[in-house]
């Protein structure tokens, strides 16, 4: 039996013993006596009576072990021409001072703190400072517009918000403070105070009595010690797109998170303490939480905080420069980043300028990795390129083709096999198990392993309705796909209203709510349209109210502005098509899937329940008119 088979079987047949053993690999103030238990609501939780501190694991333990001089964090910012390294001792000083300042302002265990920051070291300090004193952080991606930030403020009710005067997007300075002010204005809940990192590229105007400059905030602060917290206490809330305008507050607890990340770095990413790990993502996404901040630091690695893009900062050799300069051993990014490099430098000329021999493996996730991108990257780099699958809810990989000392067994197009702890099944719509190669809903048999969401923040009912009630005894992932005869998982895409734009998870349901709010719109459907660079981009089909006259171009312009203003430029909303009607079933359900099939030029089957098949011809015609470059396929009538 391979190492993988041994571990996998043990994790499924005897999860308590398996995860008790893994828990021994981290340091606890009190090792848990209860490994797996259930709440009154019936939800599973891990290590209920354990006591620990995540910041201690990420920093203090390494300093105490004599590794204080090891580099913990490298800030590399091609957009500001800055580079800075922090040893574990220096990181401790920054984090404990900030934590002390927070305590002095009355922030205590359980208080929420929103972090709305660009990719600067203070963002990492802030996350770790919260963890140190048991405060619960909620990082909001800096590319989100005020409306999105306001929704999160109203849900998390933070006593404090930490932000910066600006972020830099290639050569544009994005002033964050006016966005923050607008969000606080829009939110019903008001934070007590904000802390603003003043960056030299743009200085923010501070509001007397509410805003404090970061440097003033930490001046004279006494360093705070780590506060022991319960394993089941929340470390953070990370909002992610669901099917409606209200994002879901994914909760992460301390104990399961620490054990799961340690396990993943040891057995999946296979990185050793002292080595360099680089996740080229953003602290606003789960990848940033798990693999820029917490995971690599807990493992005693050097982690890289990169404030740049794969291209144009300054060129398509940007990633190779970082790998060479910081001697990166293992890297993680989204396939879209590879596609961006490929688009500008298909034959990899830029690579010749750098020595990337330190790099052992490149991991890709966040969206589907198309086979062409997989081959391009692996041929160019000559190392294993590893697609793996997970989501904000899981917090760490659920499926991967690597484990321990086994050789990576990669099948291009598949994200690999279930990771130990994840009992992955494919089910039909009645919840019956499917046989190999049959496509259906991807679900996970409960209990989920440590590290996965225990529930949604203050919303047990939505946790049940979103994930648990479809198939009793299973967690519904929201993805569709199939397992082959060797248990390799092939992801075919989301089965709900979530789309993935350049690795950013967004809700078309939320966009529909906004588009419907336009005064000329009677009804609409927003779908994800295939895009060569970004994987998907949104496309709106709009039915106008009777008697309204507005041109298609004008409508597209209006909606583009609307989505930019309310969600953010990151949604890349640029396309709208006017149609007379939307295809629906006789019971009135909009047939979004068929619209997606038509738009992506895929073969599709017209369901017998369709109200009027002729509408599909109108959809074809409308798309042709907009010249979206679609190669239409034939229709089959069922
Ligand atoms: N703050 C403010 N604005 C942001 C932002 C941020 N953090 N991130 C993106 N934006 C804005 C951009 O400025 C751009 O605005 P514009 O339309 O006014 O030009 C818009 O959002 C789209 O940004 P982006 O998708 O980054 O487009 P791009 O053309 O600049 O770059 C890629 C394309 C593929 C290079 C880029 O999307 C990329 O690096 N993707 C990888 C994503 C990733 O790592 N995802 C994490 C999942 S693991
Ligand atoms: P997020 O929660 O933002 O990490 O997005 C998670 C979603 O991204 C998943 O549910 C999938 O739809 C998609 N995704 C992530 N990784 C992969 C992958 N390797 N292959 C296919 N889809 C992926």
């Amino acid at each position: 039996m391979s190492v993988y088979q041994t571990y996998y079987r043990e994790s499924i047949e005897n999860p308590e013993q398996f995860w008790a053993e893994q828990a021994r690999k981290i340091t606890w103030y009190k090792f848990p006596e209860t490994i797996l238990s259930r709440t009154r609501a019936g939800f599973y939780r891990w290590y209920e009576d354990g006591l620990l501190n995540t910041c201690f694991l990420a920093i203090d333990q390494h300093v105490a072990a004599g590794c204080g001089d090891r580099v913990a964090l490298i800030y590399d910012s091609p957009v500001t021409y800055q580079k800075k390294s922090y040893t574990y001792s220096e990181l401790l000083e920054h984090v404990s001072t900030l934590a002390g300042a927070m305590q002095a302002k009355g922030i205590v265990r359980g208080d929420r703190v929103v972090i709305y920051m660009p990719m600067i070291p203070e963002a990492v300090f802030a996350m770790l400072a919260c963890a140190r004193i048991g405060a619960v952080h909620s990082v909001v991606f800096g590319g989100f517009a005020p409306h999105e930030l306001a929704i999160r403020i109203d849900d998390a009710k933070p006593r404090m918000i930490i932000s910066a005067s600006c972020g830099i997007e290639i050569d544009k300075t994005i002033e964050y403070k006016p966005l923050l002010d607008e969000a606080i204005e829009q939110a019903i809940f008001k934070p007590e105070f904000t802390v603003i990192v003043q960056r030299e590229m743009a200085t923010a105007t501070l509001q007397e009595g509410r805003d404090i400059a970061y440097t003033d905030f930490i001046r004279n602060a006494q360093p705070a010690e780590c506060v022991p917290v319960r394993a089941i206490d929340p470390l953070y809330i990370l909002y992610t797109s669901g099917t409606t305008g209200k994002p879901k507050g994914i909760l992460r607890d301390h104990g399961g998170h620490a054990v799961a990340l340690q396990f993943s770095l040891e057995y999946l990413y296979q990185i050793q303490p002292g080595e360099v790990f680089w996740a080229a993502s953003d602290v606003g996404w789960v990848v940033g939480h798990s693999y820029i901040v917490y995971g690599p630091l807990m493992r005693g690695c050097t982690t890289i905080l990169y404030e740049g893009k794969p291209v144009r900062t300054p060129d398509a050799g940007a990633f190779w420069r970082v790998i060479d300069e910081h001697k990166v051993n293992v890297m993680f990014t989204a396939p879209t980043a590879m596609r961006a490099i490929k688009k500008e430098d298909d034959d990899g000329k830029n690579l010749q300028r750098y020595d990337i021999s330190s790099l052992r493996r490149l991991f890709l996730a966040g969206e589907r990795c198309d086979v062409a991108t997989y081959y391009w990257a692996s041929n160019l780099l000559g190392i294993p390129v590893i697609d793996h699958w997970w989501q904000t809810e899981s917090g760490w990989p659920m499926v991967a083709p690597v484990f321990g000392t086994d050789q990576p067994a990669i099948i291009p197009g598949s994200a690999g096999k279930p990771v130990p702890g994840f009992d992955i099944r494919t089910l039909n719509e009645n919840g019956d198990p499917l046989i190999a190669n049959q496509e259906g809903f991807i679900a996970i048999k409960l209990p989920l392993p440590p590290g996965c969401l225990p529930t949604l923040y203050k919303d047990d009912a939505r946790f049940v309705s979103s994930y648990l009630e479809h198939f009793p005894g299973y967690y519904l992932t929201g993805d569709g796909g199939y397992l082959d005869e060797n248990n390799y998982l092939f992801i075919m895409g989301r089965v709900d209203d979530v789309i993935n734009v350049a690795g950013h998870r967004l809700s078309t349901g939320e966009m529909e709510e906004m588009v419907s709010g336009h005064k000329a719109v009677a009804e609409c459907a927003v779908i994800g349209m295939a895009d060569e660079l970004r994987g998907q981009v949104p496309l709106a089909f709009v039915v106008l109210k009777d008697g309204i006259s507005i041109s298609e171009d004008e409508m597209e312009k209006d909606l583009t502005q609307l989505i930019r203003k309310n969600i953010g430029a990151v949604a890349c909303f640029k396309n709208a098509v006017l149609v007379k009607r939307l295809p629906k079933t006789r019971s009135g359900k909009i047939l979004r899937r068929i619209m997606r099939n038509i738009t992506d030029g895929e073969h599709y089957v017209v369901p017998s329940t369709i109200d009027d098949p002729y509408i599909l011809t109108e959809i074809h015609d409308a798309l042709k008119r907009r010249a979206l470059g679609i190669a239409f396929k034939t229709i089959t009538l069922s």
Side-chain angles (χ1 to χ4, degrees), residues 78-79 81 170 278 306 308-322 337-338 340-346 348-354 376:
V79 293
Y81 309 103
I170 307 185
W278 179 27
Y306 175 67
K309 302 256 176 184
V311 292
R312 287 174 284 148
T313 52
D315 56 34
F319 276 12
W320 320 138
R321 195 267 303 157
V322 173
M338 285 296 125
I341 299 172
K342 178 171 177 273
K343 191 162 171 247
E344 292 194 11
D345 183 19
D346 194 14
K349 278 204 190 68
N350 282 294
L351 191 58
Q352 289 159 16
R353 291 190 278 140
Y354 302 102
W376 180 82

Side-chain angles (χ1 to χ4, degrees), residues 16 32-40 42-49 232 447-448 454:
E16 285 197 61
E33 278 165 29
T34 306
I35 301 300
L36 179 62
S37 55
R38 294 182 88 160
T39 64
R40 233 180 286 150
F43 303 159
Y44 289 94
R45 56 187 180 189
W46 291 95
Y47 313 123
E48 184 185 334
D49 56 344
I232 54 171
L448 295 172

Side-chain angles (χ1 to χ4, degrees), residues 141-144 169-170 172 174 176 280-282 285 287 308-312 332-334 336-337 340 365-366 501-504 533-534 564 568-572 574:
F141 175 58
F144 277 133
E169 276 294 298
I170 307 185
K172 274 184 301 185
I174 313 259
Y176 274 43
S281 178
D282 189 287
W285 306 112
V287 177
K309 302 256 176 184
V311 292
R312 287 174 284 148
F332 182 146
T333 192
T336 210
V501 179
H504 307 319
L533 173 64
R534 294 188 166 84
R564 266 183 97 87
V570 73
C572 287
K574 291 188 177 113

Side-chain angles (χ1 to χ4, degrees), residues 286 366-368 387-392 479 491 494 500 505:
V286 69
E367 52 169 333
R368 213 177 94 76
D387 181 16
H388 62 320
W389 173 71
W390 52 296
Q391 50 186 196
T392 308
D479 282 304
I491 316 283
R494 297 285 307 191
N500 209 306
R505 175 168 160 181

